């Protein structure tokens, strides 16, 4: 059987056996929860509470700060302790609301929907917006904006990204096994927004149990199918997924909607279902705590604002020293120098590794082997683009399509010279985008 895939890519060790058989455990947080106001792409949210205010779980504590922004809600009941600068999981200092947990977990009254059929498109989008739903696969783009393209009638594909191609991560896998009805329900909510679209639940072939369960559950659904993908990294990257399923290609100047597609992660679709049908905002998510350094790798249902340190403690702490701790997966995650930081909407995993292959190996000169070219899903020449970046040659970087890099890490992974190719291109991409924003 031929599985859907894309050109290029790599096959890293996936490490999923450490946590994939661990059902999701609910974790009650500690006494203090921290809610950064920047948990999404776009403008930070604006606080609407003050020090000393009493809040309930599910209560909005910060509202959208612009068109591309997202509301933030308390995940526990308690008292607003302060609003201050904190360090987030990628090392940036951001404003945050600190709530002292009263451990009563009193909630606001959620406004459930009678049925999806009785909701208009505007009401669906409004519930998603009010619920603070963002891309929970890591990007953090506000979902109500993504689901309101200029020409909704041209959307033909709604792709639910269940590839979970990033090594070690198993949160989406557990969600597909344990709450498949939320995924299907969320997809139905999204499909109601697009009259000409069909939904595709896209899963890699290393998850046959998820494929079987989802296939069985969508039997008889005329507008929903399960599509099997070849297991390969980065199969779940937006452009790769669109090409694999639809055969359509997009570049850095396009949006998926330009190719008639909408792509949402598994956890995002579940959040859509909860916001639309149950009236529940984003208050928690599944976080995988894993790696060879962790005593008991687990999948946790963690409330927003919970400290990563509490998650690690609940997973038994370290069984041996961790040389590197990553927020996310090893290919596209961010190294953490402090794990006393809060879980946010885009926190998919905490990976604790006993070896740090990157820092232990010294880069050498390029040997012109071409492996990075073969691996690159965007069909670039990473070795040359990285050289342009290292020499500050922004014009040449752009001329040779450096902005098409998706920062997947495949080139760095296969490079025998151990050059930090992806990191170099990421840095230059940021410089180019900053220059484009400068007033002429």
């Amino acid at each position: 059987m031929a599985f859907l895939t894309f050109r290029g890519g790599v096959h890293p060790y996936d490490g999923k056996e450490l946590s994939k058989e661990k059902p999701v455990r609910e974790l009650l947080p500690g006494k203090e929860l921290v809610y950064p106001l920047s948990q999404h792409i776009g403008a930070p949210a604006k606080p609407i509470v003050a020090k000393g205010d009493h809040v309930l779980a599910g209560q909005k504590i910060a509202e959208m700060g612009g068109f591309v922004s997202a509301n933030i809600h308390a995940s526990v009941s308690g008292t607003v302790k302060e609003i201050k600068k904190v360090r987030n999981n990628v090392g940036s200092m951001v404003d945050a609301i600190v709530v002292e947990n009263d451990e009563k977990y009193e909630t606001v009254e959620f406004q459930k929907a009678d049925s999806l059929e009785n909701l208009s498109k505007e009401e669906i989008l409004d519930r998603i917006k009010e619920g603070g739903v963002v891309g929970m696969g890591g990007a953090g783009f506000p979902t109500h904006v993504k689901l309101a393209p200029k020409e909704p009638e041209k959307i033909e594909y709604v792709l639910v990204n269940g590839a979970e191609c990033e090594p070690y991560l198993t949160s989406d896998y557990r969600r597909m096994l344990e709450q498949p009805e939320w995924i299907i329900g969320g997809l139905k909510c999204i499909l109601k927004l697009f009259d000409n679209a069909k939904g595709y639940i896209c899963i890699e072939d290393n998850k046959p149990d998820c494929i079987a369960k989802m296939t069985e559950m969508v039997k008889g659904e005329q507008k929903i199918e399960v599509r099997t993908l070849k297991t390969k990294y980065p199969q779940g990257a937006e452009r790769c997924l669109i090409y694999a399923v639809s055969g359509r290609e997009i570049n850095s100047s396009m949006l998926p909607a330009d190719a008639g597609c909408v792509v949402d992660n598994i956890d995002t679709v579940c959040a859509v279902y909860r916001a639309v049908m149950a009236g529940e905002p984003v208050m928690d998510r599944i976080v995988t705590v894993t790696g060879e350094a962790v005593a008991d790798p687990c999948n946790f249902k963690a409330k927003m604002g919970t400290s990563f340190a509490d998650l690690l403690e609940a997973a038994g702490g370290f069984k041996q020293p961790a040389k590197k701790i990553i927020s996310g997966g090893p290919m596209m995650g961010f190294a953490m120098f402090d794990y006393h930081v809060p879980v946010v909407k885009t926190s998919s995993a905490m990976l604790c590794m006993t070896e740090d292959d990157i820092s232990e190996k010294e880069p050498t000169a390029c040997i012109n082997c071409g492996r990075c070219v073969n691996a690159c899903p965007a069909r670039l020449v990473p070795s040359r683009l990285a050289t342009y970046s290292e020499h500050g040659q922004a014009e040449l970087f752009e001329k040779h399509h450096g902005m098409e890099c998706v920062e997947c890490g495949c080139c760095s992974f296969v490079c025998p010279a151990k050059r930090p190719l992806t990191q170099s291109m990421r840095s230059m991409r940021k410089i180019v985008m900053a220059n484009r924003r400068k007033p002429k």
Side-chain angles (χ1 to χ4, degrees):
M1 180 179 178
F3 297 131
L4 302 173
T5 191
F6 61 98
R7 299 165 296 189
V10 294
H11 295 272
Y13 163 66
D14 71 5
K16 295 182 185 290
E17 74 280 357
L18 295 174
S19 59
K20 67 177 292 188
E21 301 304 330
K22 303 291 183 67
V24 176
R25 291 166 47 191
E26 183 163 7
L27 177 70
L28 293 180
K31 286 293 293 181
E32 188 174 277
L33 288 95
V34 179
Y35 303 93
L37 301 180
S38 299
Q39 300 188 30
H40 48 265
I41 289 175
K46 296 179 179 178
I48 55 174
V49 293
K51 182 178 178 179
D53 287 354
H54 181 72
V55 298
L56 301 176
Q59 179 179 330
K60 189 195 302 184
I61 57 175
E63 62 185 7
M64 294 167 52
F67 176 68
V68 181
S69 187
N71 296 326
I72 294 172
H73 302 77
S75 57
V76 297
S77 57
T79 304
V80 177
K81 189 175 179 182
E82 56 185 330
I83 299 175
K84 65 175 184 177
K85 292 278 187 184
V86 302
R87 196 171 298 280
N88 64 13
N89 59 339
V90 297
S92 301
M93 295 299 294
V94 297
D95 291 321
I97 298 170
V98 182
V99 173
E100 187 173 355
N101 182 9
D102 64 11
E103 300 183 10
K104 296 179 182 178
Y105 302 104
E106 298 172 321
T107 65
V108 299
E109 185 175 344
F110 300 124
Q111 300 298 315
K112 296 182 179 180
D114 295 331
S115 68
L116 180 59
E117 289 70 26
N118 292 335
L119 291 175
S120 67
K121 295 177 182 180
E122 292 73 22
E123 288 172 324
I124 291 171
L125 283 172
D126 189 59
R127 281 175 170 255
I128 293 170
K129 178 169 69 174
E130 282 302 306
V133 182
V134 303
M136 297 171 75
F141 192 82
T143 302
H144 69 277
V145 179
K146 177 184 283 190
L147 297 182
K150 292 181 180 178
E151 299 176 298
E153 69 279 0
K154 292 186 177 181
I155 300 299
E156 299 176 74
Y157 293 83
V158 175
L159 307 181
V160 180
N161 182 3
E164 199 166 46
C165 60
E166 182 81 44
Y168 288 93
L169 274 58
T170 57
S171 55
D172 286 348
Y173 172 78
R174 294 310 313 178
R175 184 75 86 181
M176 286 188 278
L177 285 183
E178 297 181 35
Q179 290 160 325
E181 66 281 358
W182 286 12
I183 300 167
I184 295 168
L187 178 54
K188 287 181 178 179
C189 293
I190 296 172
L191 285 172
K192 186 164 182 186
L193 300 173
F194 305 109
D195 297 333
N196 302 317
K198 191 169 181 177
Y200 299 89
I201 302 172
C202 310
I203 310 172
E204 282 191 334
D205 66 324
N206 64 351
K207 305 173 185 67
D209 43 358
C210 294
I211 294 170
K213 181 180 279 284
M214 286 293 183
T215 301
E216 179 62 30
M217 292 191 68
V218 301
K219 273 186 178 178
E221 296 284 351
Q222 294 185 344
K223 297 188 69 174
I224 300 177
E225 289 183 16
V226 175
R227 287 292 176 91
T228 302
L229 309 170
K230 183 177 180 179
T231 300
K232 183 168 62 169
Y233 178 86
Q235 184 68 80
E238 195 169 61
R239 294 187 206 175
C240 298
L241 187 63
I242 289 171
Y243 178 79
V245 178
S246 72
R248 300 175 182 181
E249 297 186 78
I250 62 172
N251 57 40
S252 61
S253 65
M254 300 170 63
L255 295 172
D258 296 328
C261 300
V262 167
V263 182
D264 273 313
N265 164 266
I266 286 286
D267 233 13
T268 309
V269 175
C270 288
V272 166
Y273 175 74
R274 295 172 71 181
V276 173
M277 301 309 298
E280 296 178 7
V282 177
M283 296 184 291
D284 56 62
R285 65 159 301 141
I286 301 176
V287 181
T288 303
V289 180
T290 186
E292 287 78 9
V294 177
D296 181 22
C298 294
N299 292 289
F300 292 109
K301 179 183 177 183
K303 294 185 182 298
M304 296 300 161
T306 302
S307 173
F308 273 97
D310 292 343
L311 295 180
L312 180 60
E313 182 181 354
F318 295 125
K319 66 179 180 182
Q320 53 184 306
K323 288 192 176 180
K324 192 164 197 173
I325 301 176
I326 299 172
S327 175
M331 300 297 287
M332 293 190 73
F334 293 87
M336 303 169 68
F337 62 86
D338 183 2
Y339 51 85
H340 293 82
V341 295
V343 170
V344 295
K345 297 177 184 181
T346 56
S347 300
S348 59
M350 178 183 186
L351 173 59
C352 306
M353 308 185 78
T354 56
E355 300 294 332
D356 185 356
D357 293 338
I358 303 300
S359 63
E360 291 173 358
K361 293 180 180 177
E362 200 68 33
T364 58
C366 175
I367 62 173
N368 298 313
C369 65
R371 293 182 191 178
C372 60
V373 179
N374 290 333
C376 180
R379 315 309 291 165
L380 304 175
V381 184
S383 56
R384 179 168 59 187
L385 293 170
T387 298
Y388 294 150
S389 179
E390 290 161 4
H391 289 84
Q393 296 171 309
E395 289 186 9
L396 285 173
F397 183 84
E398 284 194 83
K399 179 181 177 181
H400 290 90
H401 312 293
M403 298 307 289
E404 298 306 316
C405 172
V406 296
E407 302 179 12
C408 65
C410 288
C411 54
S412 296
F413 178 78
V414 300
C415 179
K418 302 303 174 186
R419 295 179 68 199
L421 302 172
T422 304
Q423 293 86 338
S424 295
M425 290 188 288
R426 179 183 291 140
S427 297
M428 181 53 75
R429 277 169 48 83
K430 288 181 179 178
I431 291 170
V432 171
M433 287 189 283
N435 288 338
R436 288 177 178 178
R437 288 193 293 267
K438 287 181 180 178
K440 300 295 183 182

